[in-house]
Amino acid sequence: MRKADRSTQEKPVLARFPAPVRILGYTALAGFALLYLLPFVLQLATSFKTDPDAAAHPMALLPDGGTLASYRRLFGFAEGVENVPFLRWLGNSVVVTVLVTAGRVLLDSMAGYALARLRFPGRGLLFGFVLAVLAVPGVVLLIPKFLVLKSFGMFDTYSGMILPLLVDAAGIFIMKQFFESVPREIEEAARIDGAGVLRIFWSVVLPMSRPSLITLTVLSFQGSWNEFTHFLVSTQSSEHDTLTTGLAHFVSGGLGSGTQYPLKLTAALLSTVPVAILFFCFQRHFVRGANSGSLKE
């Protein structure tokens, strides 16, 4: 591709229009961004309010006086009131999310490479089953999940929370599509040098799939961190509550009476922080991977 064409493609879309149009466009984008951020700002402001202040002024962006009572109660430092087991919910979510994300990245990559490169009987039929799973709504599988976990003695255990989530049909599809775009000549050269299938996958193809691996990691982390329905049918005791199930019990009145808006919004705010940090850390890798993959000499 010529340098002129490349520089034209790298320009933002709005930069190709006249100045008045660009100003209107950027103003509209800024307005939509502020509108999108408003709920998070209100959530942050309410976390520092008292219960009466939050009920009387729910849309106020500045708390009247300000207090850290909600944070102290969440982290177990409050006195004279029942503390929320937020740290236990957080620990369960971290353990489950880390294990599920690592398992999905490894197993989905291996399955995607097998479907993209290996030739074996029933390969097309197996890929058809993967696509069929993508078309089935998750709510349809709730009762079968519960029955299977109950039959194998995995109900209300960490293994029952983790193992059914280790493989994801969407992740397999993403990795398969990427591996099919890798030139076969690279694998053939490694095979001539004596590398086997696993060696080619681990040392040659997998390092080339960094953009898709980052995408799969973020999607897996976000999906398992926000998972609710699976944990709802796979657990029963409060010891296995994650942030999603714990917050659901809390919002439904499981821990005290009253609105408790500051406490609930503080817990919801803290539960979104890890996903936001992960996204902002890997955002530039998404952009870099997309740009490098779209340009050809």
Side-chain angles (χ1 to χ4, degrees):
M1 182 178 295
R2 297 176 181 177
K3 293 184 179 180
D5 297 337
R6 180 181 300 181
S7 61
T8 302
Q9 285 191 356
E10 290 177 352
K11 288 184 178 180
V13 176
L14 290 177
R16 305 172 190 173
F17 293 92
V21 178
R22 292 202 304 270
I23 294 174
L24 290 176
Y26 286 124
T27 303
L29 290 177
F32 281 115
L34 293 176
L35 185 63
Y36 180 80
L37 290 175
L38 180 60
F40 297 98
V41 176
L42 288 174
Q43 192 178 39
L44 178 62
T46 306
S47 67
F48 294 102
K49 297 178 182 179
T50 60
D51 287 341
D53 184 23
H57 309 94
M59 299 298 293
L61 297 179
L62 294 176
D64 186 10
T67 177
L68 296 175
S70 298
Y71 292 91
R72 287 197 298 266
R73 188 175 174 188
L74 281 179
F75 290 102
F77 297 116
E79 298 179 358
V81 293
E82 181 185 3
N83 289 315
V84 179
F86 182 80
L87 292 179
R88 187 179 68 217
W89 302 344
L90 180 62
N92 289 337
S93 292
V94 169
V95 170
V96 172
T97 301
V98 169
L99 293 178
V100 170
T101 301
R104 280 188 180 181
V105 171
L106 176 62
L107 298 178
D108 288 356
S109 300
M110 296 177 68
Y113 183 76
L115 291 174
R117 285 294 189 258
L118 303 184
R119 297 293 181 265
F120 54 88
R123 171 174 166 268
L125 182 62
L126 184 60
F127 183 61
F129 285 149
V130 173
L131 296 179
V133 172
L134 289 174
V136 176
V139 68
V140 178
L141 303 176
L142 292 182
I143 295 178
K145 279 184 178 181
F146 171 77
L147 296 177
V148 170
L149 293 175
K150 201 72 172 176
S151 301
F152 283 93
M154 298 169 60
F155 178 73
D156 203 23
T157 62
Y158 285 106
S159 59
M161 298 170 65
I162 296 172
L163 290 180
L165 300 178
L166 285 181
V167 180
D168 178 54
I172 295 176
F173 179 79
I174 291 174
M175 298 307 298
K176 176 183 180 297
Q177 296 303 112
F178 177 83
F179 289 140
E180 287 183 343
S181 66
V182 176
R184 292 181 178 270
E185 291 77 8
I186 299 176
E187 299 174 64
E188 292 296 334
R191 191 171 290 109
I192 292 175
D193 292 337
V197 175
L198 289 178
R199 181 70 173 179
I200 294 174
F201 166 75
W202 188 260
S203 301
V204 179
V205 180
L206 202 60
M208 299 174 57
S209 60
R210 185 179 180 184
S212 59
L213 287 176
I214 292 176
T215 302
L216 181 59
T217 299
V218 174
L219 293 178
S220 300
F221 186 94
Q222 183 180 22
S224 54
W225 184 268
N226 296 328
E227 181 63 43
F228 174 72
T229 56
H230 171 70
F231 299 147
L232 190 64
V233 300
S234 62
T235 60
Q236 184 179 23
S237 62
S238 58
E239 287 76 12
H240 295 95
D241 276 343
T242 60
L243 284 173
T244 52
T245 55
L247 286 173
H249 295 154
F250 184 28
V251 172
S252 62
L255 293 171
S257 58
T259 57
Q260 302 185 88
Y261 289 137
L263 189 60
K264 294 175 182 178
L265 290 179
T266 302
L269 176 67
L270 294 177
S271 66
T272 61
V273 169
V275 177
I277 292 176
L278 184 72
F279 174 79
F280 285 115
C281 288
F282 287 101
Q283 184 181 19
R284 62 188 183 91
H285 294 283
F286 283 130
V287 176
R288 183 182 303 173
N291 290 337
S292 63
S294 62
L295 299 176
K296 293 182 180 180
E297 296 293 339

